[in-house]
Amino acid sequence: MSTYRAAQVTAPNGTFELVEREVRQPGPGHVRIAVEACGVCHSDALFVSGGVPGVSFPEVPGHEIAGRLEELGEGVRERGWQEGDRVAVGWFGGSCGHCRPCREGDFIVCQNLKVPGWTYDGGFGEKVIAPVDALARIPDALSPSDAGPMACAGVTTYNGLRRSSARPGDLVAVLGIGGLGHLGVQYAVAMGFETVAIARGAGKADFAKRLGAHHYVDSTSGTPVAEALQSLGGAKVVLATAGNSEAITATVDGLSHRGELVVIGADTAPLGISPTQLLMAGRVVRGHPSGTSQDVEDTMAFSALHGIRPMTENVPLDDADEAYQKMLSGGARFRMVLTG
């Protein structure tokens, strides 16, 4: 019997432990991936804590997976895949194909969305079995540790911007320059937007400029964020990557007329927005999910073309608990990645 190693927790908010698991064969329409890298995302905490329905323990999280196809289930080869192909699997881990959103072609909001680490074992291990529709091809220019975070953090920020109402030359603000935001700033610049980075503290200004931001707003300076944005002409789009409802709310009055707040940072607290803030200027507030496997491919291709990479700290699978705790504490700069 052949085995592989996986990092799991056996109870909500438990400590990660390495275990040996039996290697399984993929079923029809599924593949087995030899994992080469897996990013540690803050959303993993939803599963490790048992904070969403349907999570079962022991729990193996991880939805920023990069690796190679090792074994193909029935019907996969006919869809153009071969053993050895480099693939990524992100938050979009497969769709049901029969709910109304799927029938409308809107697979990322599938009512039965399959998310690695939630509906099946994720990438905190040496192998993972995933549905074929979750696979995104990795371009040669990206290493596994670059590609993994692109499958969630990358596609979420890239898609959030490209599906927004902003056009080249528009003022676009990125709230937060952490694991999501440091990619969001790079994408905004590459898309031709006049880019504003918003973060806490004057010390982050130089970093924002290194990412390519044209302007930096220190949310702790005493000048309201909305006022600072209006002094620049008002933001056509604010991409809110920070998971803080108070900080997100503070940007709304900084939007221009017909401006759009695109929320991708998760927080359970409500936003403090009044209808009059939206009505008079025709503003829009929109939540944005991640992206399909095709969106992940688009993200990686755009990143390779423009030299955009996540800033990662690579650690071995043996140190999964340390990496997870560092992410949870906010100490990651900017993406912890498990590399086997």
Side-chain angles (χ1 to χ4, degrees):
M1 179 185 72
S2 59
T3 63
Y4 69 98
R5 297 185 308 152
Q8 67 176 29
V9 292
T10 57
N13 295 315
T15 299
F16 280 92
E17 60 181 16
L18 281 178
V19 295
E20 296 281 338
R21 293 196 169 192
E22 182 179 355
V23 175
R24 297 184 294 112
Q25 296 303 305
H30 287 68
V31 299
R32 188 173 70 238
I33 301 168
V35 178
E36 296 175 325
C38 185
V40 182
C41 178
H42 201 277
S43 297
D44 289 322
L46 294 172
F47 313 136
V48 174
S49 67
V52 291
V55 173
S56 59
F57 292 87
E59 156 70 15
V60 180
H63 57 269
E64 293 187 342
I65 303 163
R68 293 183 181 271
L69 295 185
E70 185 176 75
E71 188 78 24
L72 309 183
E74 181 184 342
V76 172
R77 198 178 306 277
E78 292 80 354
R79 298 178 67 168
W81 297 99
Q82 302 289 334
E83 291 90 345
D85 285 349
R86 302 180 69 222
V87 296
V89 177
W91 179 266
F92 179 83
S95 57
C96 72
H98 59 75
C99 69
R100 179 156 186 167
C102 283
R103 286 166 61 86
E104 293 175 348
D106 200 357
F107 301 108
I108 190 58
V109 289
C110 169
Q111 293 172 355
N112 306 292
L113 186 68
K114 301 168 188 174
V115 180
W118 188 356
T119 47
Y120 55 87
D121 284 348
F124 282 26
E126 294 172 332
K127 303 184 189 300
V128 66
I129 291 179
V132 65
D133 63 326
L135 304 180
R137 293 187 186 275
I138 300 174
D140 292 341
L142 296 185
S143 70
S145 60
D146 289 335
M150 293 291 181
C152 181
V155 69
T156 304
T157 50
Y158 174 74
N159 248 7
L161 288 169
R162 75 164 172 169
R163 299 188 187 283
S164 75
S165 58
R167 296 296 177 264
D170 285 342
L171 189 76
V172 169
V174 178
L175 173 64
I177 51 175
L180 291 168
H182 87 285
L183 287 168
V185 169
Q186 294 179 77
Y187 288 134
V189 173
M191 290 178 185
F193 303 139
E194 183 180 352
T195 304
V196 186
I198 307 170
R200 294 176 58 85
K204 296 179 181 177
D206 287 342
F207 175 61
K209 294 297 176 66
R210 289 201 303 273
L211 292 174
H214 304 97
H215 312 279
Y216 178 72
V217 172
D218 173 11
S219 61
T220 66
S221 68
T223 301
V225 169
E227 184 178 321
L229 291 176
Q230 288 296 344
S231 72
L232 295 170
K236 180 65 175 180
V237 167
V238 170
L239 182 71
T241 74
N244 183 302
S245 292
E246 184 178 353
I248 295 171
T249 299
T251 68
V252 174
D253 285 334
L255 291 169
S256 66
H257 64 284
R258 303 288 180 186
E260 182 180 21
L261 173 62
V262 180
V263 180
I264 62 175
D267 190 1
T268 56
L271 295 174
I273 301 172
S274 71
T276 55
Q277 287 177 282
L278 306 178
L279 291 171
M280 301 306 292
R283 294 168 175 149
V284 173
V285 179
R286 179 169 63 86
H288 173 74
S290 180
T292 65
S293 52
Q294 183 59 58
D295 293 324
V296 174
E297 282 197 17
D298 293 348
T299 301
M300 291 190 291
F302 186 88
S303 301
L305 182 65
H306 292 276
I308 296 171
R309 302 291 186 274
M311 296 181 181
T312 63
E313 183 177 341
N314 299 340
V315 297
L317 182 63
D318 307 65
D319 297 333
D321 192 72
E322 178 184 335
Y324 176 77
Q325 296 301 331
K326 189 169 184 178
M327 175 281 297
L328 208 59
S329 71
R333 293 291 181 270
F334 285 91
R335 217 62 175 174
M336 305 301 296
V337 178
L338 303 179
T339 56

